Amino acid sequence: MAQPDHKKFFENLSGAGKAIAVLTSGGDAQGMNAAVRAVVRMGIYVGAKVYFIHEGYQGMVDGGDNIEEATWESVSSMLQVGGTVIGSARCKEFRTHEGRLKAARNLVQRGVTNLCVIGGDGSLTGANLFREEWSGLLEELVQQGDIDAEAAEKYYALHIVGMVGSIDNDFCGTDMTIGTDSALHRIIEVVDAIMTTAQSHQRTFVLEVMGRHCGYLALVSALACGADWVLIPEMPPEDGWEDQMCQKLSETRSRGSRLNIIIVAEGSLDRHGKAITSSYVKDLVVQCLGFDTRVTILGHVQRGGTPSAFDRILASRMGVEAVLALLETTANTPACVVSLSGNQSVRLPLMECVQMTQEVQKAMDEKKFEEAVKLRGRSFENNLRTYKLLAHRKTESELPHSSFNVAVLNVGAPAAGMNAAVRSAVRVGISEGHTMFAVNDGFEGFYNGQIKEIKWGDVGGWTGQGGSLLGTKRTLPAKHIEKIAEQMRKHNINALLIIGGFEAYLGLMDLLTARGKYDEFCVPMVMVPATVSNNVPGSDFSIGADTALNAITNTCDRIKQSASGTKRRVFIIETMGGYCGYLASVGGLASGADAAYIYEEPFDIRDLQANVEHLTEKMKTSIQRGLVLRNENSNENYTTDFIYQLYTEEGKGVFDCRKNVLGHMQQGGAPSPFDRNFGTKISAKAMQWISKKLKETYRQGRVFANTEDSCCLLGMRRRALIFQPVMQLKDETDFVHRIPKEQWWLKLRPLMKILAKYKTSYDVSDSGQLEHVVRNRPKESDASAI
C-alpha cells in the first residue's frame, strides 16, 4: 500500500498560529492526564500554542491564572497519575448566559478558538451549546467594548472536539470511555480480595459499585468474577426475583461452593421503579437463607488509583486524534467526539452521541428495558447475553438434546485469561447440550489419554485464576497424530476448541493436514488466540497480552519512581514477546518510554547513537528520568547488555544507567478485567460456532467436516470478531519468526515517538473521518473486547 505523504499532510494541517485549550470537566476518571498530555504534546508538535484550563468550566469563566500556557515539560510524569492534575469542577455559572459570555472573553483574549473537552455527556453538551452561541457572544462582547471588531472577525468560529472521560462507560457511540477499564481494575482487585475471606467463612458478599444510570461496571465485573447474581438499571429483574436469587445462591452452595458474590449497581431498580439497595439484598439473603452476609460499598475507590495500560493507550490515542480533528475542522464542521470502535479510533458528531445517550435514559424511564439495552450498543448487549448464558445453569428439561462430545485444550505457554476462556467454553457447551471434555497438558496430554469429562461446577471460580489450570505444553501434534486420532476415536470427540498461542496455530494446521489420512480430524476445529506475545496471525489481540502490558506498565512506573529525587537516570528494560514487538511498543506508549527497540523496525548503531543524543538533550533540561524498552529478540547483536553499556558510556556526565529484565513476571499474576472478559466472550462465540457447525456437518449418524471453513481461527480484526480458515492465514504468516506479516500496532509507534519529542512522520491513513452513530451495527461487529 502506498504510504501517505506525511510531509504534505503536516504542512496542510500545520497548527502554526492556532491556539488549543484543553480542560477536564465533571467527574474525574483515571486516564484523563494521559489525554491531557497527548493533547499538549501533539499540539506543540504541530506548532500550535496549547493552554491548560484549570478547574474545568469554572476556570474558563474565572479566567486569570486558571488559563495557563502549557509547555512540553509541564506534562512530564503525569501519565501514571490518576484523576486530573489540571483539576475539574462542576460549574453552575457556565450554565448561565453571563457565565458563557465571561468564558468567551477569556478565550478570545488568548486567541483560543480550539477547545478540547474531556468529560461526560453533560460537559460535552455544554461545550456544544457554547460553540453554537459563540458568534452571538462575540457580538455582545464587541457591543460592550470588551473586544474589538477585528478580534471578533479573526476568532469568528469556535471548534470543539470531545473525549469521553467517565468511569461509568455510559456514553453512546464509543465502546469504551476513558477511565472505565481502570475502574474495573479497582473493582476486580476488591472482588479477588473479598473472595478469599468469603471462602474462609462461607460468607455471601453483596458488592455495590458505581453506576447510577448505567450498569456497565456492575455487569462486566460480574462477568469477570463469575458473580452469582447481578442487578443493573437497564434490565430490572422480573417480579419474584427475590425467590429466584435465593434459590440460585442455595443451589451454588449445595454444589460445594463456600461463597456467593452478588453485584449491585447503585442505580438498580425493580420493575416498578423501586430502588434495590445493597442493604435490602443483604437482609433478603439473611432472612431467606440464613447465610452469613456482608455488604461492601466500593464508592470512590473506583475513581482512584493509577490508570490501567488500556486507559493510558486509549487516552493517548484519543488525545492525538483530537488534535488532528481540531486541525482539520472548518467553520461548518459539527462538534465531534473521538470514540473507540473495536480497535479503531473514530470521530462521531457529538450531539448524535448525546441524543442517543439521552434516549437510553428515556427508554428506561418509560420501562422499555429491552430497547434501553439495545441502545447501549452491541458490546453491552453481548455482555448481558454472555453473563446470562454463563451464570444461570439450565435444568435437564431446558437443555437442547445433543449427543456431541466437544474437547477443549490449552496449547503453548500459559497466558492469564486462559482459565476464563475454558470456563466460558465449558458452560456454553453444556448449555448447548454437549458433553464437554477437558484435555490436560495440551497435545502431549491428548496423545497420552489425559482426557476427562468436565462439568458445570468443575469450572466455578476459574475466571480470576492466572496461568492454565488444565495444564499447557508447547508440544506439537505432528509426530503423534496417530495416537491423537486414536484418542479422538476412543472418546468419540466431535469437535475441538484449542486455546493458545503460536503453537496452537501450528498444531491446528497439523491437524488440518492430517484430515487426508485420518477421518477423526474431519470435525469442526476452532482456535482462540491466547499468548502474552500477541503474535498470532488473524487477530489484533490475544488473551493474556493485556495482563502482560499491565505488568510491564506497573513495573516501569515503580522503576521510574525509584529514581525520583536522585540524579538523572535512564532505565533499559527488556520485555518478552519472541520476535513480536507488541509488548515493547505498546508497553512503551503506556509507560511514556523514550524509545522501544523491536525486530519489526530494524535499527543500527546510528539509531542508537541518535537516541542517546536525544535523551542527553532532554536530560539537560528538566527531565530527570528516561525509559528505554527492548524486545528480547529485537537484534541478536544489539543485546540489552550492549545497549546498557552504550548508554552508560555515552551518557557519562549527564545521566547514569540501570537495566532490568522483566522475564516471566509478565506471564504470571491474576488476569486483568480485559483478559477475563475478552477470554469469556471470544470463547463463548467460538462454542456457538462449534454448535452451528456440528448441526451443519451431521449426516447419516456422524459428523464429517472437511471443508476449509470448518477449521478456523477466531480473531478480532479492527472492529469485528471474525472466523478465518487457518489455510487462508498461511500467506499472512512469517513462520520463521513466528509473527504475522502485517501488524496493526506498528501504526502506534510514531505516536510514542511524537510524545517522546522525536520528529517523525505519523501515518494518518487510518485517521478518523467523521462517521455517524449506528444504532444496530452489522451482526459480526460485537467485537468490543470488554
Side-chain angles (χ1 to χ4, degrees), residues 323-388:
V323 172
L324 295 177
L326 283 172
L327 297 182
E328 287 176 357
T329 52
T330 64
N332 302 320
T333 312
C336 77
V337 63
V338 179
S339 299
L340 180 77
S341 177
N343 175 27
Q344 298 293 297
S345 289
V346 294
R347 300 176 198 169
L348 298 169
L350 192 151
M351 288 318 292
E352 281 186 25
C353 297
V354 169
Q355 279 155 12
M356 192 183 276
T357 305
Q358 289 165 352
E359 278 180 43
V360 178
Q361 190 56 50
K362 189 175 171 231
M364 285 159 64
D365 293 342
E366 293 172 358
K367 297 188 168 49
K368 296 177 182 172
F369 301 116
E370 296 284 346
E371 191 183 327
V373 169
K374 275 193 165 60
L375 286 167
R376 278 269 180 247
R378 281 206 172 272
S379 169
F380 190 91
E381 210 179 346
N382 197 22
N383 281 323
L384 186 58
R385 190 167 51 245
T386 309
Y387 175 77
K388 285 178 178 175

Side-chain angles (χ1 to χ4, degrees), residues 249-509:
L249 300 181
S250 183
E251 281 171 10
T252 308
R253 288 290 177 98
S254 67
R255 287 199 297 270
S257 175
R258 292 176 59 87
L259 76 155
N260 301 109
I261 299 285
I262 301 162
I263 295 183
V264 183
E266 62 180 335
S268 297
L269 305 165
D270 66 14
R271 293 264 156 177
H272 309 288
K274 185 187 163 200
I276 302 174
T277 62
S278 46
S279 54
Y280 173 74
V281 175
K282 177 207 165 182
D283 294 341
L284 194 68
V285 175
V286 172
Q287 285 163 19
C288 292
L289 301 169
F291 291 171
D292 185 1
T293 308
R294 298 284 190 274
V295 171
T296 299
I297 298 172
L298 269 68
H300 283 75
V301 163
Q302 296 158 87
R303 284 195 192 281
T306 59
S308 66
F310 183 98
D311 272 330
R312 297 184 198 194
I313 295 154
L314 174 67
S316 298
R317 287 178 73 182
M318 281 185 169
V320 169
E321 186 68 36
V323 172
L324 295 177
L326 283 172
L327 297 182
E328 287 176 357
T329 52
T330 64
N332 302 320
T333 312
C336 77
V337 63
V338 179
S339 299
L340 180 77
S341 177
N343 175 27
Q344 298 293 297
S345 289
V346 294
R347 300 176 198 169
L348 298 169
L350 192 151
M351 288 318 292
E352 281 186 25
C353 297
V354 169
Q355 279 155 12
M356 192 183 276
T357 305
Q358 289 165 352
E359 278 180 43
V360 178
Q361 190 56 50
K362 189 175 171 231
M364 285 159 64
D365 293 342
E366 293 172 358
K367 297 188 168 49
K368 296 177 182 172
F369 301 116
E370 296 284 346
E371 191 183 327
V373 169
K374 275 193 165 60
L375 286 167
R376 278 269 180 247
R378 281 206 172 272
S379 169
F380 190 91
E381 210 179 346
N382 197 22
N383 281 323
L384 186 58
R385 190 167 51 245
T386 309
Y387 175 77
K388 285 178 178 175
L389 201 59
L390 297 175
H392 304 296
R393 188 179 185 177
K394 292 178 181 174
T395 60
E396 289 296 324
S397 59
E398 289 175 315
L399 287 172
H401 179 67
S402 160
S403 55
F404 297 123
N405 295 342
V406 181
V408 59
L409 66 155
N410 294 155
V411 177
M418 273 182 165
N419 298 321
V422 172
R423 169 186 176 267
S424 175
V426 167
R427 292 198 169 178
V428 173
I430 291 168
S431 295
E432 303 264 318
H434 309 315
T435 303
M436 298 300 296
F437 286 86
V439 181
N440 294 111
D441 297 336
F443 288 117
E444 197 174 299
F446 213 147
Y447 69 75
N448 285 327
Q450 292 170 244
I451 304 165
K452 64 178 191 303
E453 189 182 341
I454 187 163
K455 297 196 178 325
W456 185 280
D458 296 337
V459 290
W462 277 33
T463 46
Q465 303 275 339
S468 166
L469 292 171
L470 286 186
T472 181
K473 295 274 178 78
R474 294 178 183 269
T475 314
L476 292 174
K479 292 177 183 174
H480 312 280
I481 283 290
E482 195 174 333
K483 285 184 181 174
I484 292 172
E486 191 183 311
Q487 292 297 333
M488 294 273 287
R489 192 166 52 250
K490 182 181 171 184
H491 293 90
N492 189 26
I493 302 298
N494 306 118
L496 272 183
L497 171 61
I498 303 171
I499 300 163
F502 206 86
E503 287 86 359
Y505 172 64
L506 295 174
L508 192 56
M509 284 188 164

Side-chain angles (χ1 to χ4, degrees), residues 73 116 133 182 318 344 469 482 498 535 544 585 627 632 642 646 657 661 711 762:
E73 287 73 26
C116 189
E133 289 183 354
S182 301
M318 281 185 169
Q344 298 293 297
L469 292 171
E482 195 174 333
I498 303 171
N535 64 333
S585 297
L627 188 66
E632 58 185 349
F642 177 91
L646 176 76
C657 230
V661 177
C711 181
Y762 184 51

Side-chain angles (χ1 to χ4, degrees), residues 86-161:
I86 60 172
S88 180
R90 315 264 180 200
C91 178
K92 285 182 182 174
E93 204 176 343
F94 190 75
R95 293 179 186 174
T96 67
H97 183 76
E98 291 73 24
R100 292 193 290 277
L101 195 65
K102 285 182 191 174
R105 187 186 63 224
N106 289 328
L107 292 186
V108 170
Q109 282 172 353
R110 290 162 181 82
V112 173
T113 54
N114 297 284
L115 209 52
C116 189
V117 181
I118 308 164
D121 61 334
S123 306
L124 299 177
T125 307
N128 191 62
L129 175 64
F130 190 39
R131 175 185 164 274
E132 286 171 353
E133 289 183 354
W134 182 258
S135 55
L137 293 170
L138 262 54
E139 280 175 28
E140 270 187 68
L141 290 170
V142 171
Q143 286 164 13
Q144 291 174 11
D146 288 338
I147 63 170
D148 57 31
E150 194 183 324
E153 194 179 325
K154 187 177 178 183
Y155 306 121
Y156 70 98
L158 179 68
H159 306 299
I160 303 268
V161 172

Side-chain angles (χ1 to χ4, degrees), residues 576-594:
M576 288 175 104
Y579 285 95
C580 180
Y582 176 81
L583 290 179
S585 297
V586 183
L589 181 59
S591 52
D594 294 277

